[in-house]
Amino acid sequence: MARVHQLTDTAGPTALEAAYTAYYASIAHSEPAADGTVRHRLRRGLGEGTIEVTALHSGFALIRYDVAFTRPHRLRYAFTGDHFELEHCLEGHLRVSDTHTGSGHLRAGAVALSPHRPARGVLTHPAGRRYRALSLTGTWSGLAAHLAHLGIEPPPDLRPALTAHRHYLSGSASLRPAADPLRDLYLHRRTGPGRRLVLESRLACALSTLLEALTPRPAPAPAGHLRLERHEVDALHRVPGLLWQHRHDPLTLAQVARATSMSVKRLNAGFRALYGTSVGAYHRRRCLERAAALLVETDWPVARIGHEVGYASATNFTYAFRRARGTTPTHYRRTHT
């Protein structure tokens, strides 16, 4: 019978840190690096891949998952209401069985936030499936103290009634903006004296999006309120996939509007309300994020990567990438691998 590992913070943060240490020791060989990151490489027979842990000066820890287990891997958790975890899944999925909220999955593209209340359950990695994710961990009290140190009003407590029915809040569109800085944290591989500054800056971006998501906003004036029907929200959620599918033969806004059974005006307004940016800007950012990942993860030529993400020429791709990232694709690859 497969072993079920244990994680608990019921005896406080020190006990949780010890539990993590024992967990990593039971599944992996640890390799400390000079920059403070500890790489845990899965033991032979258990699976392949690494879990990298980097402690930041702000009191948070970054956990970078890139693992594939040979057999289903189960981790039982029991956390107090002070446990904080913000996680973005880039690839694969993780099954969550929580005693309060039932079962569900954290899937690729989702941003997950641990509920601000005691939680108990089991996480399951399916056998043979690669799981890539970036987790920002700490405590809710530590988050409040960190924000207070910066002169920022901490977010209000999330009442259990608001979180009991949706574990991790992964269905909340308000958390999606945090995906970008969390993905940047996952992809950043550069070593050197400036690495900590980069990590802390991306952490600040992730926390700013979280702060906006958790802070109640005053109700807008009735005339300016955009009310989206459920079928419109579902249609708008299909737009990014539709644009990606046709990236080599881009659709016009009129074509996208017809595909979603919406007017161009309604499409633009609804998309901006849901994603916080325009249709075109969102698609360009997504294509360049995929390009950045391919530059790090593959040895493909720059021209091939540009074509893969929808650019007709290497020149156009290089120009767009440099404008968005402040560096050329070649230099980005060299500094991140």
Side-chain angles (χ1 to χ4, degrees):
M1 185 174 179
R3 177 180 178 183
V4 180
H5 300 269
Q6 306 277 343
L7 277 183
T8 177
D9 71 343
T10 53
T14 302
L16 179 61
E17 183 178 351
Y20 266 111
T21 300
Y23 168 59
Y24 294 141
S26 69
I27 66 170
H29 299 285
S30 299
E31 304 169 359
D35 62 1
T37 295
V38 180
R39 179 179 292 106
H40 305 281
R41 194 176 302 278
L42 292 187
R43 297 179 184 277
R44 183 177 302 176
L46 186 62
E48 65 91 15
T50 59
I51 301 173
E52 297 181 2
V53 182
T54 304
L56 300 180
H57 292 300
S58 51
F60 297 95
L62 300 178
I63 307 178
R64 184 179 184 273
Y65 297 94
D66 185 3
V67 293
F69 292 95
T70 304
R71 298 190 179 111
H73 184 76
R74 296 179 178 85
L75 180 63
R76 181 174 289 118
Y77 61 87
F79 296 138
T80 66
D82 199 33
H83 178 72
F84 170 86
E85 186 166 4
L86 184 66
E87 185 163 345
H88 174 45
C89 175
L90 286 82
E91 180 182 342
H93 70 271
L94 183 69
R95 181 174 177 80
V96 181
S97 300
D98 189 84
T99 56
H100 293 283
T101 58
S103 298
H105 288 86
L106 174 62
R107 301 186 183 278
V111 177
L113 176 65
S114 58
H116 196 174
R117 57 158 176 72
R120 183 183 298 272
V122 178
L123 306 177
T124 304
H125 291 269
R129 184 72 182 271
R130 174 71 59 177
Y131 184 71
R132 298 170 65 236
L134 191 286
S135 178
L136 173 64
T137 66
T139 61
W140 284 96
S141 57
L143 171 63
H146 178 62
L147 293 175
H149 177 72
L150 297 175
I152 301 172
E153 183 70 22
D157 289 350
L158 290 177
R159 292 171 297 176
L162 298 179
T163 60
H165 67 288
R166 52 178 187 176
H167 181 67
Y168 273 157
L169 304 183
S170 58
S172 175
S174 61
L175 292 177
R176 288 199 189 100
D180 291 342
L182 292 174
R183 185 183 296 108
D184 287 343
L185 282 166
Y186 184 92
L187 294 175
H188 185 76
R189 312 298 295 157
R190 181 170 55 183
T191 59
R195 181 171 185 268
R196 287 277 179 171
L197 289 175
V198 173
L199 296 181
E200 294 285 0
S201 68
R202 297 296 187 274
L203 167 66
C205 290
L207 292 182
S208 70
T209 59
L210 178 63
L211 184 63
E212 291 183 5
L214 301 185
T215 301
R217 299 179 181 179
H225 179 62
L226 179 65
R227 185 182 299 276
L228 292 171
E229 301 295 336
R230 180 70 257 175
H231 70 88
E232 290 180 310
V233 173
D234 292 340
L236 289 167
H237 282 163
R238 295 196 300 270
V239 170
L242 186 64
L243 294 174
W244 179 257
Q245 181 182 352
H246 292 271
R247 64 191 182 280
H248 296 116
D249 186 17
L251 300 175
T252 65
L253 277 178
Q255 290 173 316
V256 176
R258 282 196 295 272
T260 55
S261 301
M262 302 172 76
S263 68
V264 171
K265 181 177 180 180
R266 187 69 173 177
L267 169 67
N268 277 325
F271 194 91
R272 188 174 291 277
L274 203 58
Y275 290 93
T277 188
S278 68
V279 175
Y282 182 93
H283 180 60
R284 286 191 296 273
R285 184 177 65 191
R286 183 184 183 191
C287 289
L288 292 174
E289 287 171 353
R290 178 57 181 158
L294 290 173
L295 287 166
V296 174
E297 298 168 359
T298 74
D299 59 358
W300 292 359
V302 169
R304 179 181 176 184
I305 292 177
H307 178 267
E308 167 63 21
V309 300
Y311 286 85
S313 71
T315 300
N316 289 343
F317 168 58
T318 298
Y319 174 80
F321 192 92
R322 184 167 189 168
R323 185 176 182 180
R325 298 272 176 162
T327 186
T328 66
T330 301
H331 187 261
Y332 183 89
R333 166 177 276 165
R334 187 165 56 246
T335 57
H336 286 74
T337 57

